[in-house]
Amino acid sequence: MDDTRNHRSLWTVTAPPRDFPVARGDLTVDVAVIGGGIAGLTTAFLLKRAGKRVAVLEMHRVLSGQTGQTTAHLTELLDTPYSTLRRDFGEKGARLAATSSRVALEQVATLVETLGLDCDFQRVPAFRFAETTRELEALEQELTEARDAGLLASLVRSVPLPFPVKGAMRVEDQALVHPRKYLLGLADRIPGDGSHVLEQTRVTEIHEGTPCRVVTDHGVVTATDVVEATTVPLNRVALQTRLYPYRTYAVAGPLESPLEAAQYDDSQEPYHYLRTQRVDGRVYLIVGGEDHKVGAEQDTDRRYAALEDYTLKRFPVRSLTHRWSGQVIEPVDGLPFIGRNVGSRHVHVATGFSGTGMTFGTLAGMLLTDLILGNESPFTALYSPSRKKPLAGVRDFLQENADVAFRFVADRLSRPEAQHLSEVAPGEAKVLEVEGQKVAVYREPDGTAHAVSPVCTHLGCHVHWNGAERSWDCPCHGARYSPTGKVLNGPAMKDLPSRQLPKLPE
Ligand SMILES: Cc1cc2nc3c(=O)[nH]c(=O)nc-3n(C[C@H](O)[C@H](O)[C@H](O)COP(=O)(O)OP(=O)(O)OC[C@H]3O[C@@H](n4cnc5c(N)ncnc54)[C@H](O)[C@@H]3O)c2cc1C
Ligand code: FES
């Protein structure tokens, strides 16, 4: 592996974190917002602006979750094709999905302008391009649907890419932003007048009531309303059977010759997504893709290698200087769940954003603010977590949940990968069997071994090793843990317990 590459996202290295305090003791606010990503920070900012006292509770640092790993295309070109949205949600539903995406994009533009945020926001066209005649035919069909839904879309033969393509669907007036600069600008404006941004404050329990009680590892937050903006809601079983976690990868490197600033997606399955970003006077190309179900790939370095190969073969990039990855959460029927949690009055969720969480995270902030303030929104029913599943989603629902059930059983019955620590080389991770019990073991390059239970503390699936990120990932609902078992990603709220290993022979 090339050790000179930066393993943090371009956004993380170009916008260092701010220091927000840790919670100290109990607190009372109007709204407790759990999660300091785009959904949580946008909701908290808009509520505070409307006069509410809010507390953002973030277990790590703000913007260290998926929002720090994004590629930040702000787009109306959703992952679910408009033809599918029309089939499953009707013409009105497809139009509302497009309108709400436009409204979210304009919300970001307005905040950038009115707050004077220096965050590299720029309006650009989006190109979804086809490299084969078949892909072009599919795009032509989707073009009609996208236009009917309200997008300013056209078919173009000439696409400003440095390799030949058959054509593209061009959509006007989309946007790019530096996500950390934009959202740190919102986060900075939340504290004060009874509102807080609290970091390194993990939520361990939520008790709905009048008022609600949110238990953290540093005290209890009492609030009238609670927002779970944690990518996947914490321990909410009903909704989790309708959410499926996927891992996606990104690489970046300086361009040797110019590329028109735009959003570019190819038509492969899974697709690649591209954009540019200026850093210290140099323009970088960012390429994302190589998605797979969480836990389905242990050799995650292979995915980076494929992405690097794709990039170096097609673009004037000599070396890739940054690589990073993250999770996207796919909803069963193609649209996110934003609103009151099923059966709740005061607990709200925002999840299932697919690969368009910049748009949907912003929309979540707007929609949840309306709900909490008691304002009407034309988008409430479309995104309601209580909506009926369209029939077309049933096959995916059964398939994905059959996969979860399979993983739950198969991983328990599977043979251990090794019997003894001596079979785990430094830098490797394996599941061992020790005195009849499975133990997940990672050895640092210096040989130090970390042994933890492989049973996810969320609902009991077994975790799988993710080699490139050095984490134990749960294939069922996407929880992630460090080699020592610390929760990196919800929905799990508790760490993996550590386990004892017999000593290596001297
Ligand atoms: C490589 C990649 C590329 C992407 N590209 C795009 C793109 O181009 N356009 C686009 O629109 N979307 C894109 N996405 C998707 C988008 O980034 C995400 O959907 C979005 O950032 C999710 O935001 P969020 O606020 O829901 O979650 P997050 O940003 O993950 O925030 C959730 C926060 O909750 C915190 N948390 C979790 N549990 C607890 C707890 N118990 N207590 C306290 N805090 C907790 C986490 O630490 C985290 O910081 C991409 C994603 C990836 C990974
Ligand atoms: S995340 Fe649900 S069982 Fe692991």
Side-chain angles (χ1 to χ4, degrees), residues 34-40 57-75 201-204 229-232 234 248-250 273 288 324-329 350-351 353-361 487-493:
I34 312 168
I38 188 165
L57 308 169
E58 166 55 51
M59 72 174 171
H60 300 302
R61 310 296 301 269
V62 298
L63 304 171
S64 63
Q66 307 318 313
T67 308
Q69 314 302 317
T70 187
T71 51
H73 301 210
L74 264 164
T75 186
T201 300
R202 190 199 303 189
V203 170
T204 52
T230 46
T231 328
V232 177
L234 305 167
T248 185
Y249 300 80
Y273 44 96
W324 65 91
S325 77
Q327 280 179 200
V328 292
I329 307 301
T351 184
F353 296 162
S354 304
T356 40
M358 293 293 105
T359 308
F360 285 135
V487 175
L488 298 174
N489 246 117
M493 293 194 266

Side-chain angles (χ1 to χ4, degrees), residues 411-421 430-441 451-455 462 496-502:
D411 289 337
R412 279 180 157 59
L413 298 180
S414 69
R415 289 159 65 88
E417 294 163 297
Q419 294 292 341
H420 198 272
L421 183 58
K430 281 184 180 164
V431 175
L432 268 60
E433 190 161 273
V434 177
E435 293 167 0
Q437 250 197 353
K438 289 208 170 125
V439 179
V441 178
V452 293
S453 159
V455 183
H462 278 207
L496 295 174
S498 47
R499 292 273 181 260
Q500 287 295 328
L501 282 178

Side-chain angles (χ1 to χ4, degrees), residues 1-73:
M1 194 200 294
D2 178 359
D3 283 326
T4 60
R5 268 182 308 227
N6 201 314
H7 288 236
R8 294 187 303 156
S9 72
L10 208 59
W11 323 118
T12 310
V13 292
T14 54
R18 303 274 198 284
D19 277 332
F20 292 104
V22 180
R24 285 188 208 291
D26 297 351
L27 201 64
T28 300
V29 288
D30 298 315
V31 187
V33 178
I34 312 168
I38 188 165
L41 291 175
T42 310
T43 308
F45 172 83
L46 294 176
L47 282 168
K48 158 127 193 213
R49 199 176 64 173
K52 294 282 182 193
R53 291 169 308 155
V54 299
V56 176
L57 308 169
E58 166 55 51
M59 72 174 171
H60 300 302
R61 310 296 301 269
V62 298
L63 304 171
S64 63
Q66 307 318 313
T67 308
Q69 314 302 317
T70 187
T71 51
H73 301 210

Side-chain angles (χ1 to χ4, degrees), residues 25 49 81 115 160 223 266 284 287 303 345 349 364 368 403 411 440 477:
R49 199 176 64 173
L115 302 175
D266 69 14
Y284 282 69
V287 179
R303 301 291 176 146
R345 279 176 57 77
V349 293
L368 295 180
D403 284 352
D411 289 337
H477 314 105

